[in-house]
Amino acid sequence: DVKVTQSSRYLVKRTGEKVFLECVQDMDHENMFWYRQDPGLGLRLIYFSYDVKMKEKGDIPEGYSVSREKKERFSLILESASTNQTSMYLCASSLTSYRDRDAEAFFGQGTRLTVV
Amino acid sequence: GESVGLHLPTLSVQEGDNSIINCAYSNSASDYFIWYKQESGKGPQFIIDIRSNMDKRQGQRVTVLLNKTVKHLSLQIAATQPGDSAVYFCAETRGAGNMLTFGGGTRLMVKP
């Protein structure tokens, strides 16, 4: 089974701190994604990466950066955490393929981040 | 901008009834659609998918219908069970990177 692992389930950080959220996948997927999930807003794409060292902005990249130094690992960085970044963060990975189900994204369990 | 959205935020059904969850999308270039189910405390999980060259696809107790004319997607769940209670998201994927765009989600509540 595909496994997408996020390093923490719960995090509490202070305003202004630099925060790292780590995600690792074990299926050699090219694509990795970071979403945030807020009530009533669904899943919004922050950044995605389609290859090592490659990244593309999603819908809400402001206040975030990402790093993909290795294919299996995709990190989300909050340079200076703010209270409006309190949210559930979900990492996902997928293959680049147009065959049925191969484009399916597999999700991690999520990291609930609280910024105080 | 382009978006994928859902009509109803909450759907309440009786156990054993059929459920229909709807989704509208606005990007006619989208070529692949997925329904995800998210249970409390878990990440979204794949339910069923459909390509833009199809109108209907059936799985076990679930059916996805795609109407490209009106850019509408629906998920039908037959004989809804308490274990079906969750939030359901439709998502579209397009482009070489298979970037997924999600709708806002519908909460399905199954009454015993």
Side-chain angles (χ1 to χ4, degrees):
Chain A
D1 282 349
V2 174
K3 194 168 183 181
V4 180
T5 304
Q6 294 182 229
S7 54
S8 304
R9 289 295 303 273
Y10 300 95
L11 274 178
V12 179
K13 296 291 181 180
R14 294 191 181 278
T15 300
E17 276 193 80
K18 190 169 185 176
V19 182
F20 293 86
L21 302 183
E22 306 287 348
C23 176
V24 177
Q25 51 94 2
D26 64 359
M27 281 300 292
D28 203 35
H29 285 173
E30 295 94 347
N31 307 313
M32 295 189 75
F33 308 83
W34 274 107
Y35 292 86
R36 64 177 282 176
Q37 184 174 23
D38 301 289
L41 298 176
L43 278 74
R44 293 180 291 167
L45 182 65
I46 304 171
Y47 268 97
F48 80 100
S49 168
Y50 53 89
D51 201 353
V52 175
K53 296 190 185 295
M54 305 304 290
K55 60 186 179 184
E56 292 286 341
K57 292 180 180 179
D59 298 320
I60 50 165
E62 296 79 17
Y64 303 94
S65 62
V66 290
S67 173
R68 187 140 181 232
E69 297 297 318
K70 294 183 179 180
K71 193 174 185 180
E72 68 270 18
R73 186 180 295 270
F74 192 36
S75 303
L76 180 69
I77 303 155
L78 287 66
E79 296 290 340
S80 178
S82 63
T83 54
N84 63 11
Q85 292 179 308
T86 292
S87 186
M88 169 71 82
Y89 290 88
L90 287 162
C91 174
S93 71
S94 72
L95 287 170
T96 297
S97 171
Y98 289 93
R99 291 177 297 178
D100 284 354
R101 284 211 63 174
D102 281 355
E104 173 189 351
F106 295 85
F107 284 84
Q109 292 281 73
T111 297
R112 185 166 294 283
L113 172 68
T114 302
V115 183
V116 297
Chain B
E2 295 157 348
S3 65
V4 177
L6 295 173
H7 296 309
L8 297 173
T10 304
L11 178 65
S12 184
V13 300
Q14 203 71 38
E15 181 178 357
D17 287 353
N18 297 333
S19 304
I20 300 177
I21 301 172
N22 296 304
C23 177
Y25 66 96
S26 58
N27 183 5
S28 58
S30 296
D31 53 13
Y32 181 61
F33 303 87
I34 308 174
W35 279 101
Y36 283 89
K37 172 185 180 183
Q38 186 177 24
E39 296 174 285
S40 181
K42 298 182 180 179
Q45 291 186 301
F46 176 96
I47 302 173
I48 192 168
D49 60 351
I50 189 168
R51 293 226 167 265
S52 58
N53 61 353
M54 302 172 69
D55 297 323
K56 179 179 180 179
R57 193 167 192 200
Q58 286 185 294
Q60 187 176 15
R61 285 201 306 119
V62 295
T63 301
V64 55
L65 299 177
L66 176 62
N67 185 331
K68 294 180 286 293
T69 302
V70 295
K71 299 188 184 70
H72 185 268
L73 195 68
S74 69
L75 176 70
Q76 300 178 359
I77 304 173
T80 312
Q81 301 169 0
D84 295 327
S85 295
V87 177
Y88 290 81
F89 294 94
C90 64
E92 62 175 326
T93 182
R94 63 186 185 275
N98 287 335
M99 187 172 71
L100 271 175
T101 302
F102 283 82
T106 293
R107 180 173 299 280
L108 176 65
M109 299 174 63
V110 182
K111 296 178 287 187

